[in-house]
Amino acid sequence: MKRQVALDTETTGKSDDGTPGEHRIIEVGCVEIIDRKVTGRTLQLYVNPERPVDQEAFKVHGISNEFLKDKPKFEEVAHELIDFIRGSELLIHNAKFDVGFMDQEWLRMGLNEKTSDMAHVVDTVSLAMKLCPGHQVNLDNLCKLYDVDRSSRTLHGALLDAQILAEVYLAMTGGQASLNFSEEKVVFNEKWVRPEGIKIPVMPLSEECHVVHMEKMLSLAQSHMIRKGDEGQPSIAGSDWSDEFDMELLVKGEDEKKGDFKKRLSEQKKMMLEKIFTPQQREVLAEAKKKDNEAQEAWLDRVLGRKK
């Protein structure tokens, strides 16, 4: 079995020389491929970068400081990313950029590993330059070359770009007879053609995964305004795909302390969970969070050499 992961990141910006500098990761998106089939298993993490997002970067991905302020810090969710990519062949478009940011985050955590120690990194830009000589090799142009649907790509997003990269990679490499990354030339037989009517298989979803996903969607919905309130009325936050998440959009008061605002958000979330989830689902969610916290502590003990 060959396991590959298409990965992309979004960041607060980059320094003038293209390196991370003082900038941080704000989103990571991963898509799993096993034996050249997209499994439907993905990972999407939003993180609080503890610094402002540059205006130029915001124009690219549309992820605001307001949206990120209540998200976990990178070190709090890093174990999820490491567990997802470890041992895989990691497909990254312009790998130097994303790997540079991830390696900087590992260093900040005191982790004595680099991304290349966790996975075998393949730069799909270098691969595309070999397979598509004379063509621009950015994702948008590769989508045109290989007839990959990019209609939803109005803004960059890490998970969306990782999904597009997965399909572009499979399209680029689908007709190969042999491929050796150490060779200068790549031999292939014919251009890959996506079979008509093909659908990504829907993977079975456990109750635990369902409630954890719904809880994360609720957290995202709290800061997503869907309707602006009339004069004197609050705006409404929620989800674009279900009105069951509709709630008042909470806004931090000018003199309100950050802790007090977080408390209001937490109380609103608790109320919405009681509205959306059954008592049994809330029990499943509590147990999932307990297991997740225990796993995180065990992971930190392992990678940081902590002793209880």
Side-chain angles (χ1 to χ4, degrees), residues 2-7 31 33 84-92 118-122 127 169 179 181:
K2 183 175 183 178
R3 182 173 183 270
Q4 298 168 298
V5 173
L7 177 146
V31 173
I33 304 168
F84 200 95
I85 68 173
R86 188 178 291 282
S88 69
E89 183 174 81
L90 202 55
L91 310 173
I92 308 178
M118 303 173 189
H120 172 60
V121 178
V122 173
L127 176 60
Y169 170 82
L179 174 63
F181 290 103

Side-chain angles (χ1 to χ4, degrees), residues 219-241:
S219 296
L220 294 174
Q222 281 186 284
S223 59
H224 178 58
M225 185 175 74
I226 57 173
R227 291 192 301 277
K228 190 172 180 61
D230 297 330
E231 187 173 349
Q233 298 296 318
S235 296
I236 301 300
S239 167
D240 293 322
W241 57 269

Side-chain angles (χ1 to χ4, degrees), residues 5-23:
V5 173
L7 177 146
D8 188 59
T9 64
E10 298 297 345
T11 69
T12 59
K14 60 182 179 181
S15 60
D16 292 339
D17 61 358
T19 60
E22 295 300 316
H23 286 284

Side-chain angles (χ1 to χ4, degrees), residues 147 167 192-200:
D147 190 29
E167 190 165 352
W192 178 84
V193 177
R194 188 192 311 165
E196 290 186 12
I198 189 169
K199 294 181 180 180
I200 295 175

Side-chain angles (χ1 to χ4, degrees), residues 264-289:
R264 285 203 294 134
L265 287 171
S266 178
E267 289 172 349
Q268 182 190 54
K269 183 176 180 180
K270 181 180 178 182
M271 180 185 70
M272 291 297 295
L273 286 173
E274 291 175 353
K275 172 187 171 184
I276 296 171
F277 285 177
T278 66
Q280 181 181 357
Q281 286 176 319
R282 292 198 293 273
E283 288 181 9
V284 172
L285 179 62
E287 185 62 28
K289 286 190 169 184

Side-chain angles (χ1 to χ4, degrees), residues 22-33:
E22 295 300 316
H23 286 284
R24 305 287 301 275
I25 289 174
I26 58 174
E27 183 194 1
V28 182
C30 298
V31 173
E32 183 182 64
I33 304 168

Side-chain angles (χ1 to χ4, degrees), residues 202-216:
V202 177
M203 306 298 286
L205 186 66
S206 68
E207 181 69 4
E208 179 180 305
C209 289
H210 172 68
V211 297
V212 168
H213 173 73
M214 291 287 283
E215 192 242 0
K216 288 186 177 181

